[in-house]
Amino acid sequence: MDSKVVSMKEAIAAHVRDGDTVVIEGFTHLICFAAGHEIIRQRRRDLTLARLTPDLVFDQMIGAGCARKLVFSWAGNPGAGSLHAFRRAVESGALEIEEYSHFGMVARLAAGAARLPFGVLRNYMGSDLPAANPRIRTVACPYTGETLATVPALEPDVTIVHAQRADRQGNTQVWGLMGVQKEAAFASKRVVVVVEELVDEAVIRADPNRTLIPGLVVDAVVVEPWGCHPSYAQGHYDRDNDFYVDWEAISKDPGKLQGYLDEFVYGCADRAAYLARMPGLQDRLRARERTCAGVNYGF
Amino acid sequence: MDSKVVSMKEAIAAHVRDGDTVVIEGFTHLICFAAGHEIIRQRRRDLTLARLTPDLVFDQMIGAGCARKLVFSWAGNPGAGSLHAFRRAVESGALEIEEYSHFGMVARLAAGAARLPFGVLRNYMGSDLPAANPRIRTVACPYTGETLATVPALEPDVTIVHAQRADRQGNTQVWGLMGVQKEAAFASKRVVVVVEELVDEAVIRADPNRTLIPGLVVDAVVVEPWGCHPSYAQGHYDRDNDFYVDWEAISKDPGKLQGYLDEFVYGCADRAAYLARMPGLQDRLRARERTCAGVNYGF
Amino acid sequence: MMAAVAARELRDGEVTFVGIGLPNLACNLARALHAPNLVLIYESGAVGAVPERLPVSIGDPSLVTGSLMVCSMADVFQLFLQGGRIGVGFLGGAQIDRWGNINTTVVGPYAHPKVRLPGSGGAAEIAVHARRVLIISRLNPRAFPAEVDFVTSPGHRFHGRPRRELSMPGAGPVKVVTDKAVLETDPESGELVLAGLCPGVTVAEVQAGVGWPLRVRPALDAPAAPSAEELRLLREVLDPRGLYL
Amino acid sequence: MMAAVAARELRDGEVTFVGIGLPNLACNLARALHAPNLVLIYESGAVGAVPERLPVSIGDPSLVTGSLMVCSMADVFQLFLQGGRIGVGFLGGAQIDRWGNINTTVVGPYAHPKVRLPGSGGAAEIAVHARRVLIISRLNPRAFPAEVDFVTSPGHRFHGRPRRELSMPGAGPVKVVTDKAVLETDPESGELVLAGLCPGVTVAEVQAGVGWPLRVRPALDAPAAPSAEELRLLREVLDPRGLYL
């Protein structure tokens, strides 16, 4: 079969369109900043951005003017402060929001992945969230009659997933925190997988239980080592917690935020140029070795 | 913490009671015959047996008179014939049945595991299954209005899961086919894990993504190598396909079936005695080596 | 013959939900010939399987070793099948009727069966969700009644109601491959009609094998007998012990 | 002080849903002292974590390395939390009211917020499902209004309706650990009442920190100040860089 490997520039040009609902998932782990930056560089507009935790990547995209709407469940900079571009946009009314809890977002993506129109969860009794978001509804159990909460399926136009490795067809393996990556990929109309390492199909086939996303739902594979920084990739590099702390001051000041984008996003043609601006980064964050044993697949 | 390791005799005595709903799961792979045989030896009665594919293990338990009811989705002996003890019991009206499709059974266990009263699936339109089983119902989507099928949650009294390895607390790792083992364990009031190999907690902690069932839902751990035979355990031993073929003739004749139970179940005090009756078995079925590489969990 | 004809129906790269026996032979034959990139998915959770031996069951360990992915059965049914990712599903059954309805549940009434069959397994949902369904079965009047005793897996008309009213995502059975002929679904009526005759078989012989007045297409296909290469692969490579042939 | 008092609330072997910051310190302190078998679960999917360093976020890689299990977030919320497997959940918030309702969403009206806060995250469902909830927060009148601006996570009374009418599986907030006092839920009314005073703090000081007339238990606990061992562990082992202390 033809390889699906393309450059980040090509992947974003082909699969992310103005007005799309875009998911870049990964819970703290494997957040693809490289894709977010390329979307900013290609000046996509009117995007609906969806993620459980918008994190810095969506704060940057909101600050750069890519977003019309944010769908989320927790918008902060854990341990470090706020997402100020997001807060300014919401407090000024410039950004539309649609808000759930984590469980609600998980159930939305799980429903989308299974092509069901809604997800069911026991939740939201005694909370003002359903009053704030009329898309949180209820259903009666056909067996017990009890009332349960529902959320509508989320089926993004495009989902971008970062992973440790994939083959040319997009058969993708992940370890460490998996977040909602599988559900988001299956829920999405188009899927871009970005990897630290492109491997031979034989590497995937040697340990098939490790595969999280099958190539048959993947449209493009991008090879972008260190593509998560300042997020992290287990077994490759640590989270750049210092940068998360620094973001508090950068995002608080629109001028500084613009300066950051000018230098590290618009001023970099690609990820390699971004990394070249931070000498010493890779030595500081490179993961130590902690390799597990394999298991026997013989019969 | 105290170890949960007990003998099979102790595990069945403590956790399987007359009248219980008992699940012994595993799709072809990791079906715990050792547990089924011990339940027969301890002469449990009036059990509701639930499994997607009753397989030989439930045919033997039905033939031995343990079962009042069977909940299932496919009752055959793949490639070899029928489950004749099951067929005789159904055709004579001695065994009550409650029947779904595989997807229905999966959705029932997934709902039970999530403590939701029902599961939703797009299915059963144009089929006589809902007419045969009034527990298959429908619900209207609160967003689109469309009608979807529902199945009631299945929450077994006890689930028995076989696995390649676990630690003393029941943190359980599985590779190869996983079936609905995780869902069945989480859905169940009590869980017995039976393993090929008891390992140190450090082995589990070295590769946490491989853990399918956490110890916190497990009540007992039984160490029973070759406990799946004639089913199989990937990386340990192959399926005994010859025995599955032989079962056609054994199960067809009630006298032969009784003879089998007398010799291989009642006539064996435990799994070691069962294995001792089949010299050469282990050499014939032992798995070849096909060990995968590990991955790096460092940061 | 059936395995070879069914294999020719598969397109390269297609995602195929494989059952055991003849469908498995057909899929692996197609993979060895014109469809090297066929993705085989088994309901047991093996995706992209490349079995080194003829698997005896859909849960055979040879489907796992060297596969692209092993997932839970919840994923198989929720994400792959209901998620609309399956191109072709294979089904067989004890009874197949005029409308492509399949019975794998009971012969006789459900409450007091003459013969208790295995049941649905994954067949009911494959018939609903696979983009198209291929049926493989030997032709004889017991297997092809005008109406099945029990509809396990839906075809094109359910107690008089056409499939399109029932909101099923997949197209349902499009073709029935038998040892004597190929039947196809008439796009208008949803009825199975005679579309192809195997070498040496007459229309009358096929009619004798089905329990309803069989409509015959004006131009009939003539599926070629298995080629030497197809036969060699089937007999020497795929099923050397003659388990299914 | 808060971390030490909260740590003492945890029982050995308990399954604890851990948030970042003080709850994480409290859990790891308990693990180092009286509760070596505490099972720490993070909403990111790490189960039985044994972090080698103080995790900066609930998705820190140190929570994965050496943990007992890593699962998807769907499993965390569906199987562990909604499945009733969580004994204790920790919550905090910008506002906590008389009924233990917590606001982490907005200050001011939802449509035109004065301050936009992060939102629920997993807090709404933890408050519904954990068998009991512990709240940790510094005491001051802005943080403890009589009524929160927005109920993100339910306490014991929602717009006048008591929790027991709302079919929540968990018991809700049972205790609020602050820097000055410990509040507990009155089992009758569901109201937070003063249950313990930290060394040197007066009832009047606590009353000044909450926005409603605080009921005072007849016999007040006196939580001990952190022991030398607790302080050593917190300052030298668990948070040597002083991130949260």
Side-chain angles (χ1 to χ4, degrees):
Chain A
M1 251 185 279
D2 292 343
S3 164
K4 295 175 184 168
V5 177
V6 296
S7 70
M8 182 63 86
K9 218 178 278 294
E10 293 167 321
I12 299 304
H15 297 294
V16 181
R17 301 159 197 168
D18 285 353
D20 272 358
T21 294
V22 178
V23 168
I24 301 179
E25 256 307 333
F27 191 86
T28 317
H29 186 213
L30 297 172
I31 305 173
C32 193
F33 278 75
H37 288 187
E38 184 59 30
I39 291 170
I40 294 173
R41 273 194 294 270
Q42 295 196 16
R43 299 184 191 271
R44 288 293 175 282
R45 289 296 176 264
D46 295 321
L47 302 179
T48 293
L49 299 178
R51 246 183 84 78
L52 275 67
T53 59
D55 202 85
L56 274 48
V57 68
F58 278 4
D59 207 36
Q60 293 174 359
M61 292 167 77
I62 292 166
C66 300
R68 185 184 67 74
K69 181 175 175 181
L70 181 72
V71 183
F72 73 105
S73 45
W74 196 84
N77 181 357
S82 287
L83 304 174
H84 291 282
F86 156 75
R87 279 184 56 178
R88 277 192 300 276
V90 173
E91 288 164 19
S92 76
L95 185 74
E96 190 185 337
I97 60 171
E98 183 178 328
E99 182 171 6
Y100 299 85
S101 64
H102 280 350
F103 193 6
M105 283 294 285
V106 166
R108 293 194 67 195
L109 286 167
R115 296 288 182 259
L116 287 175
F118 66 106
V120 178
L121 62 171
R122 198 188 293 280
N123 212 0
Y124 301 130
M125 56 287 258
S127 167
D128 283 325
L129 278 165
N133 181 352
R135 303 197 78 200
I136 298 175
R137 297 183 187 165
T138 60
V139 75
C141 171
Y143 303 92
T144 63
E146 67 195 302
T147 300
L148 294 148
T150 62
V151 289
L154 176 54
E155 299 190 8
D157 293 301
V158 58
T159 286
I160 297 162
V161 164
H162 201 99
Q164 281 101 339
R165 66 189 183 200
D167 66 18
R168 283 170 181 74
Q169 291 307 310
N171 294 293
T172 302
Q173 299 193 329
V174 172
W175 56 97
L177 301 177
M178 296 172 293
V180 294
Q181 304 272 31
K182 181 180 69 179
E183 291 80 2
F186 272 93
S188 198
K189 295 190 188 74
R190 300 184 295 280
V191 175
V192 176
V193 165
V194 186
V195 291
E196 291 297 316
E197 196 187 356
L198 187 71
V199 296
D200 195 86
E201 192 180 293
V203 172
I204 303 295
R205 291 190 181 275
D207 191 1
N209 282 94
R210 198 77 82 185
T211 305
L212 189 70
I213 299 170
L216 63 94
V217 307
V218 174
D219 297 280
V221 176
V222 176
V223 186
E224 198 78 283
W226 293 81
C228 295
H229 176 270
S231 167
Y232 76 100
Q234 193 99 27
H236 288 266
Y237 46 90
D238 199 354
R239 189 167 184 260
D240 192 349
N241 292 313
D242 293 346
F243 182 79
Y244 276 82
V245 172
D246 293 345
W247 186 251
E248 173 67 9
I250 298 171
S251 69
K252 211 162 189 167
D253 175 341
K256 277 192 188 155
L257 172 59
Q258 189 57 48
Y260 175 83
L261 294 175
D262 285 343
E263 183 173 358
F264 289 95
V265 183
Y266 299 116
C268 297
D270 56 20
R271 196 64 176 175
Y274 169 89
L275 292 168
R277 279 187 194 264
M278 289 172 281
L281 178 83
Q282 300 180 35
D283 287 337
R284 179 163 63 89
L285 297 173
R286 186 171 288 115
R288 283 163 303 163
E289 186 70 13
R290 180 99 172 229
T291 299
C292 67
V295 298
N296 185 10
Y297 278 96
F299 59 88
Chain B
M1 250 185 280
D2 293 343
S3 165
K4 295 175 184 167
V5 177
V6 295
S7 70
M8 182 64 86
K9 219 179 277 296
E10 292 167 321
I12 299 303
H15 296 293
V16 182
R17 300 159 198 168
D18 284 354
D20 272 357
T21 295
V22 179
V23 168
I24 301 179
E25 257 305 334
F27 193 87
T28 316
H29 186 213
L30 295 173
I31 305 173
C32 193
F33 278 74
H37 287 187
E38 184 58 30
I39 290 170
I40 294 173
R41 274 195 293 270
Q42 296 196 15
R43 299 184 191 272
R44 288 293 176 282
R45 289 295 175 267
D46 294 321
L47 302 179
T48 294
L49 300 178
R51 246 184 85 78
L52 274 67
T53 60
D55 201 85
L56 275 49
V57 68
F58 278 3
D59 208 35
Q60 293 174 359
M61 293 168 76
I62 292 166
C66 302
R68 185 185 68 73
K69 182 175 174 181
L70 181 72
V71 183
F72 73 104
S73 44
W74 195 85
N77 181 358
S82 287
L83 304 175
H84 291 283
F86 156 76
R87 280 184 55 178
R88 278 192 299 276
V90 172
E91 287 164 19
S92 76
L95 185 75
E96 190 185 335
I97 60 170
E98 184 178 328
E99 181 170 7
Y100 298 85
S101 64
H102 280 350
F103 193 6
M105 283 295 285
V106 166
R108 293 194 67 195
L109 286 167
R115 296 287 182 262
L116 286 175
F118 67 105
V120 179
L121 60 172
R122 198 187 294 279
N123 211 359
Y124 302 130
M125 56 288 258
S127 167
D128 282 325
L129 278 165
N133 181 353
R135 303 196 77 201
I136 298 174
R137 298 184 187 163
T138 60
V139 74
C141 171
Y143 302 92
T144 62
E146 67 196 301
T147 300
L148 294 149
T150 62
V151 289
L154 176 54
E155 298 190 10
D157 293 302
V158 57
T159 287
I160 297 162
V161 164
H162 201 100
Q164 281 101 340
R165 66 189 182 198
D167 66 19
R168 285 171 179 74
Q169 291 307 310
N171 294 294
T172 302
Q173 300 193 327
V174 172
W175 56 97
L177 301 177
M178 296 173 293
V180 294
Q181 304 272 31
K182 181 179 69 178
E183 292 79 4
F186 272 93
S188 198
K189 296 190 187 75
R190 302 184 294 280
V191 176
V192 176
V193 166
V194 186
V195 290
E196 291 297 316
E197 195 187 357
L198 186 71
V199 295
D200 195 85
E201 193 180 292
V203 172
I204 303 294
R205 290 190 181 276
D207 192 0
N209 282 93
R210 197 77 81 186
T211 305
L212 189 69
I213 299 171
L216 63 94
V217 307
V218 174
D219 296 280
V221 177
V222 176
V223 186
E224 198 78 283
W226 292 82
C228 295
H229 176 270
S231 168
Y232 75 100
Q234 193 99 29
H236 289 265
Y237 45 90
D238 199 355
R239 188 168 185 260
D240 191 350
N241 292 313
D242 293 347
F243 182 78
Y244 274 82
V245 171
D246 293 345
W247 187 251
E248 172 68 9
I250 298 171
S251 69
K252 210 162 190 167
D253 175 342
K256 278 193 187 153
L257 173 58
Q258 189 58 46
Y260 175 83
L261 294 175
D262 286 342
E263 182 174 359
F264 289 96
V265 183
Y266 299 116
C268 297
D270 55 19
R271 197 64 175 174
Y274 169 89
L275 292 169
R277 279 187 193 265
M278 288 172 281
L281 178 82
Q282 300 180 36
D283 287 338
R284 179 163 62 89
L285 296 174
R286 185 171 287 115
R288 283 162 302 163
E289 186 71 12
R290 181 96 173 232
T291 300
C292 67
V295 300
N296 185 11
Y297 278 97
F299 59 87
Chain C
M1 179 76 195
M2 290 195 287
V5 174
R8 295 176 203 146
E9 289 296 320
L10 296 167
R11 301 162 197 158
D12 196 24
E14 209 161 30
V15 180
T16 309
F17 211 88
V18 192
I20 215 60
L22 286 179
N24 185 68
L25 281 178
C27 290
N28 280 291
L29 181 63
R31 223 162 48 82
L33 292 170
H34 64 280
N37 302 306
L38 205 63
V39 181
L40 308 188
I41 298 188
Y42 293 79
E43 66 188 14
S44 56
V47 177
V50 285
E52 284 171 11
R53 68 181 184 197
L54 183 67
V56 176
S57 78
I58 28 179
D60 197 274
S62 68
L63 301 173
V64 164
T65 315
S67 67
L68 285 172
M69 178 180 193
V70 177
C71 64
S72 71
M73 291 185 76
D75 285 355
V76 168
F77 288 104
Q78 289 173 349
L79 306 188
F80 285 91
L81 189 56
Q82 186 174 264
R85 307 293 183 169
I86 304 297
V88 186
F90 274 100
L91 294 175
Q95 298 181 331
I96 296 141
D97 74 14
R98 182 171 189 163
W99 310 106
N101 294 308
I102 303 176
N103 175 16
T104 52
T105 303
V106 283
V107 178
Y110 185 79
H112 306 284
K114 258 187 286 189
V115 184
R116 175 64 227 195
L117 303 165
S120 163
E125 40 265 9
I126 291 171
V128 168
H129 286 286
R131 238 162 282 155
R132 67 189 212 282
V133 169
L134 299 175
I135 297 176
I136 303 190
S137 175
R138 284 183 194 284
L139 196 76
N140 68 63
R142 253 189 321 139
F144 286 84
E147 205 175 317
V148 291
D149 292 1
F150 185 98
V151 181
T152 313
S153 307
H156 296 282
R157 194 173 281 263
F158 179 67
H159 300 308
R161 290 183 70 197
R163 184 178 178 102
R164 74 179 69 89
E165 277 181 17
L166 297 167
S167 302
M168 287 185 248
V174 294
K175 196 166 283 207
V176 182
V177 176
T178 76
D179 50 333
K180 295 203 173 68
V182 173
L183 311 183
E184 282 181 11
T185 299
D186 179 71
E188 293 300 308
S189 64
E191 186 180 346
L192 290 179
V193 300
L194 180 58
L197 278 177
C198 293
V201 179
T202 66
V203 172
E205 282 175 80
V206 180
Q207 175 62 73
V210 306
W212 68 89
L214 188 66
R215 284 172 49 201
V216 180
R217 286 256 172 89
L220 287 180
D221 289 339
S227 68
E229 177 63 1
E230 285 170 337
L231 281 177
R232 187 190 67 79
L233 282 165
L234 285 169
R235 290 187 178 149
E236 293 173 26
V237 179
L238 297 171
D239 188 14
R241 295 169 63 199
L243 278 177
Y244 299 108
L245 292 175
Chain D
M1 179 79 195
M2 291 195 285
V5 174
R8 294 176 203 146
E9 289 297 319
L10 296 168
R11 302 160 197 159
D12 195 25
E14 209 161 30
V15 180
T16 309
F17 210 90
V18 192
I20 215 60
L22 286 179
N24 185 68
L25 281 179
C27 291
N28 280 290
L29 182 62
R31 223 162 48 82
L33 293 171
H34 64 279
N37 302 306
L38 206 62
V39 180
L40 309 187
I41 298 189
Y42 293 78
E43 67 187 13
S44 55
V47 177
V50 286
E52 284 171 13
R53 68 180 184 198
L54 183 69
V56 177
S57 78
I58 27 180
D60 198 274
S62 69
L63 300 174
V64 164
T65 315
S67 67
L68 285 173
M69 178 180 192
V70 177
C71 65
S72 71
M73 292 186 76
D75 284 355
V76 168
F77 288 104
Q78 290 173 348
L79 305 189
F80 285 92
L81 190 56
Q82 186 174 262
R85 307 293 182 168
I86 304 297
V88 187
F90 275 100
L91 294 175
Q95 297 181 333
I96 296 141
D97 74 14
R98 183 172 189 161
W99 310 107
N101 294 308
I102 302 175
N103 175 16
T104 52
T105 302
V106 282
V107 177
Y110 185 80
H112 305 285
K114 260 187 284 188
V115 184
R116 174 65 227 194
L117 303 165
S120 163
E125 39 265 10
I126 292 170
V128 168
H129 287 286
R131 239 162 281 154
R132 67 190 213 280
V133 169
L134 299 175
I135 298 176
I136 303 189
S137 176
R138 285 183 192 284
L139 196 76
N140 69 63
R142 253 189 322 141
F144 286 84
E147 206 174 315
V148 293
D149 291 1
F150 186 97
V151 181
T152 313
S153 306
H156 295 282
R157 196 173 279 263
F158 179 66
H159 299 308
R161 290 183 69 196
R163 184 176 178 104
R164 74 180 69 87
E165 278 182 16
L166 297 167
S167 302
M168 287 186 248
V174 293
K175 198 167 277 210
V176 181
V177 176
T178 76
D179 51 333
K180 295 204 172 70
V182 173
L183 311 183
E184 282 181 12
T185 299
D186 179 70
E188 294 301 307
S189 64
E191 187 180 346
L192 291 178
V193 300
L194 180 58
L197 278 178
C198 292
V201 178
T202 66
V203 172
E205 280 175 82
V206 180
Q207 174 63 75
V210 306
W212 68 89
L214 187 65
R215 283 172 50 200
V216 180
R217 285 258 172 87
L220 287 181
D221 290 338
S227 69
E229 177 63 2
E230 285 171 337
L231 281 177
R232 187 191 66 79
L233 283 165
L234 285 169
R235 290 189 179 146
E236 293 173 27
V237 179
L238 297 171
D239 189 13
R241 294 169 63 201
L243 278 176
Y244 298 109
L245 292 174

